[in-house]
Amino acid sequence: MTQHTQAVQREQTPDVVTFGESMALMLPVGTKGIEYSSQFEKSLAGAESNLAIGIARLGGSVGWFGRLGKDPLGRDMMKRIRGEGVDVSRAQLSDDGPTGLIVREVVSGKSSVYYYRKFSAASRMRPEHLDADYIGGARYLHVTGITCALSAECRETVREAVRIAKRRGVKVCFDPNLRLKLWTIEEARPVLLELAAEADYFLPGLDELKLLYETENFDAIVARLQELPGVSIVKGGEDETYIVEKDGVSAVPYFKVEQVVDTVGAGDGFCAGFITGLLKQYDYKEAVRLGNLIGSMVIQMEGDWEGLPTWEQVEAKLGGKTHVER
């Protein structure tokens, strides 16, 4: 491939490409919970589309693709994601399965989710659905372990996307996003560790690592991470995020928040901030600091992605600007 061809592809492809299942999200209105509610709000959910919306709001160039059902829910979600400034040119509305559904409630301060995604259009994703030139023209490919949990075909699709990225010199970001309602830890462990070994940036949570490496010992976990070829960014420390490199570990403190409203989507917001930092050529500590800030802003609003800030809001937060009401 010539340099001219590569340049043309990069003009046609967003800087960041991600893919996976996005689902219609139903939330009961009020505090009764699902069983006793008669009214529900409709939104969307999906780690990868959350991340894409986050990067777009921060001013980044990003594309999301996946398979949605050719149904009212799928059409609505496609329009919502596109409306946030995300390129959806490779996403598909399919008639071989419905759009997946997730119903979420918060009762007594605890969040619970219920999936209705078996045999969804997204679960039927296969390697031949990938556009190799689209992936190969990006600077970063972001994938998660959620897609791998949907089906054997989806797992192979993720593997093939990573292979394409590696061949084309595209950096791979991998968030394991372990979901034990979708598969067991015994099923997940070999797949997620395989992808961690392929990633340039591995973005796990500390609790996930304890399950994947079968140890509570932090030093043992660090030693395993340092065997990986890439850099590991470990979310979920007590008061800080860890950066694990071959030659050592550094930490970046969290931003303090006055009130936690909803923790769902915080990890996706962090990843959006971190990758945006990479796009802006920040060093790792600066990129993690931006990720920490985005995560802290997300948890102060209800919703999976609604609290993701714009770059102007980030600048205002960092600059200590006060809100003028009127």
Side-chain angles (χ1 to χ4, degrees):
M1 185 182 297
T2 67
Q3 289 184 340
H4 173 71
T5 303
Q6 289 176 330
V8 170
Q9 285 184 357
R10 290 192 184 278
E11 290 175 0
Q12 295 173 341
T13 301
D15 287 332
V16 182
V17 167
T18 187
F19 71 95
E21 179 168 36
S22 289
M23 298 167 290
L25 169 64
M26 297 296 180
L27 297 159
V29 176
T31 59
K32 293 181 181 178
I34 295 168
E35 185 173 356
Y36 301 106
S37 292
S38 58
Q39 293 180 309
F40 289 78
E41 292 181 352
K42 175 165 66 74
S43 184
L44 66 92
E48 299 84 6
S49 53
N50 289 349
L51 172 121
I53 291 170
I55 292 174
R57 287 189 179 179
L58 294 171
S61 168
V62 59
W64 169 87
F65 66 88
R67 289 168 66 79
L68 300 167
K70 193 180 289 184
D71 50 39
L73 293 175
R75 289 191 294 270
D76 173 50
M77 290 165 59
M78 186 81 86
K79 288 185 284 189
R80 288 197 194 208
I81 297 170
R82 181 192 296 120
E84 288 291 335
V86 176
D87 177 49
V88 294
S89 61
R90 300 316 190 268
Q92 297 177 335
L93 293 174
S94 169
D95 55 11
D96 66 358
T99 300
L101 175 66
I102 177 174
V103 185
R104 183 161 66 86
E105 65 180 359
V106 179
V107 177
S108 301
K110 293 184 178 180
S111 178
S112 299
V113 300
Y114 302 89
Y115 295 121
Y116 304 90
R117 63 201 302 182
K118 196 171 185 179
F119 306 122
S120 67
S123 71
R124 300 174 188 273
M125 193 181 305
R126 299 186 300 275
E128 53 263 37
H129 294 140
L130 298 172
D131 183 333
D133 288 337
Y134 188 72
I135 294 170
R139 293 171 60 187
Y140 297 93
L141 169 70
H142 178 80
V143 295
T144 81
I146 297 174
T147 311
C148 298
L150 300 179
S151 67
E153 292 81 6
C154 283
R155 282 193 288 280
E156 189 51 40
T157 303
V158 172
R159 289 184 177 114
E160 179 59 19
V162 171
R163 285 193 286 264
I164 291 168
K166 303 288 275 188
R167 286 199 302 267
R168 302 287 187 94
V170 178
K171 298 291 187 182
V172 175
C173 303
F174 173 55
D175 185 343
N177 253 321
L178 181 61
R179 296 289 186 270
L180 294 179
K181 283 195 173 184
L182 297 179
W183 55 353
T184 67
I185 186 61
E186 289 76 21
E187 292 171 317
R189 185 178 289 115
V191 177
L192 300 184
L193 293 181
E194 170 197 338
L195 289 168
E198 294 291 329
D200 297 280
Y201 300 101
F202 182 37
L203 305 168
L206 184 56
D207 287 342
E208 292 173 320
L209 291 174
K210 291 176 181 178
L211 291 171
L212 291 174
Y213 290 139
E214 301 181 84
T215 179
E216 296 279 329
N217 186 284
F218 183 73
D219 291 336
I221 289 171
V222 168
R224 293 290 299 273
L225 292 174
Q226 288 177 324
E227 295 173 358
L228 299 175
V231 175
S232 296
I233 309 297
V234 182
K235 302 164 287 183
E238 188 171 339
D239 293 303
E240 53 201 2
T241 301
Y242 304 104
I243 304 168
V244 181
E245 300 178 79
K246 295 287 187 186
D247 57 355
V249 180
S250 53
V252 180
Y254 295 153
F255 285 80
K256 303 297 183 183
V257 299
E258 293 183 3
Q259 182 179 13
V260 176
V261 176
D262 187 352
T263 60
V264 175
D268 303 327
F270 172 86
C271 291
F274 175 73
I275 294 173
T276 298
L278 296 180
L279 292 173
K280 292 179 177 292
Q281 298 185 318
Y282 289 1
D283 64 29
Y284 292 150
K285 283 189 175 181
E286 290 175 315
V288 168
R289 183 169 183 263
L290 179 59
N292 283 350
L293 176 62
I294 304 304
S296 75
M297 296 173 79
V298 168
I299 64 177
Q300 296 181 70
M301 184 182 292
E302 289 185 0
D304 288 37
W305 53 272
E306 288 84 347
L308 291 162
T310 64
W311 186 250
E312 290 74 19
Q313 290 171 321
V314 168
E315 287 185 315
K317 188 78 171 178
L318 291 174
K321 294 181 182 178
T322 56
H323 173 62
V324 179
E325 182 178 349
R326 60 178 83 201

